[in-house]
Amino acid sequence: MVEPRGKKYSGNWIDVYYEPRTCIHAAECVRGLPNVFIKNERPWIKPERASADELAPVIERCPTGALHYVRRDGGAQEVPTSVDVVTINAGGPLYVRGDIRLELPDGSLVRQDTRMALCRCGHSQNKPFCDNSHLAANFER
Ligand code: SF4
């Protein structure tokens, strides 16, 4: 299981973790459970409004790894995809899924995760992660 990062939001038998540094507002969470993920409210995540079974699959859709969960109901924790998958998001980042260990050339660990969005335009201020700078840079490839 990935070590959870960021702020914890406790719900009914599930804790949701959110790390804003890697969120690029792809809004999969908002689309998946609009009653739970509400951008303009504080707290913006209201996990008590959904069950662990409802929350887990929506959180796993988050392409950047900004959202994670820890189930406390005995349900299955997130499992990495069986094969690693890299997807080019046109005009945006590389989305990576799997059992990912991101290292520097000297072998030191940058991050271990099941989901990441990596900068492809070269303008991110949060490299190697995407920070949406491709939008201002009008990156089109
Ligand atoms: S799905 Fe992930 S990256 Fe997208 S808005 Fe939600 S937390 Fe941010």
Side-chain angles (χ1 to χ4, degrees), residues 91-110:
L94 276 183
Y95 288 137
V96 185
R97 281 182 180 264
D99 188 6
I100 310 299
R101 183 180 161 89
L102 186 63
E103 296 178 352
L104 295 177
D106 68 4
S108 56
L109 180 66
V110 176

Side-chain angles (χ1 to χ4, degrees), residues 66-80:
L67 284 176
H68 279 280
Y69 64 83
V70 175
R71 291 182 72 141
R72 293 183 279 102
D73 63 349
Q77 307 296 345
E78 180 174 357
V79 176

Side-chain angles (χ1 to χ4, degrees), residues 22-29 31 59-67 81 83-100 102 113-121 128-135 139 141:
T22 52
C23 176
I24 57 170
H25 309 293
E28 288 291 341
C29 54
R31 277 193 289 274
I59 289 171
E60 290 184 24
R61 277 186 231 155
C62 172
T64 68
L67 284 176
T81 52
V83 291
D84 298 338
V85 179
V86 179
T87 308
I88 295 175
N89 184 30
L94 276 183
Y95 288 137
V96 185
R97 281 182 180 264
D99 188 6
I100 310 299
L102 186 63
D113 209 334
T114 51
R115 296 171 266 121
M116 296 180 195
L118 301 178
C119 175
R120 204 163 63 88
C121 70
F129 306 107
C130 173
D131 72 351
N132 264 344
S133 290
H134 53 274
L135 299 175
F139 182 64
R141 275 182 286 154

Side-chain angles (χ1 to χ4, degrees), residues 6-63:
K7 185 172 177 185
K8 179 164 90 171
Y9 298 78
S10 290
N12 302 315
W13 303 105
I14 185 169
D15 294 328
V16 177
Y17 290 82
Y18 174 62
E19 184 189 38
R21 194 171 76 89
T22 52
C23 176
I24 57 170
H25 309 293
E28 288 291 341
C29 54
V30 175
R31 277 193 289 274
L33 282 172
N35 200 34
V36 170
F37 299 95
I38 306 171
K39 275 194 288 189
N40 301 324
E41 292 189 12
R42 292 292 174 269
W44 82 280
I45 303 174
K46 303 180 191 305
E48 69 281 0
R49 293 185 175 176
S51 68
D53 282 342
E54 291 169 321
L55 277 161
V58 170
I59 289 171
E60 290 184 24
R61 277 186 231 155
C62 172

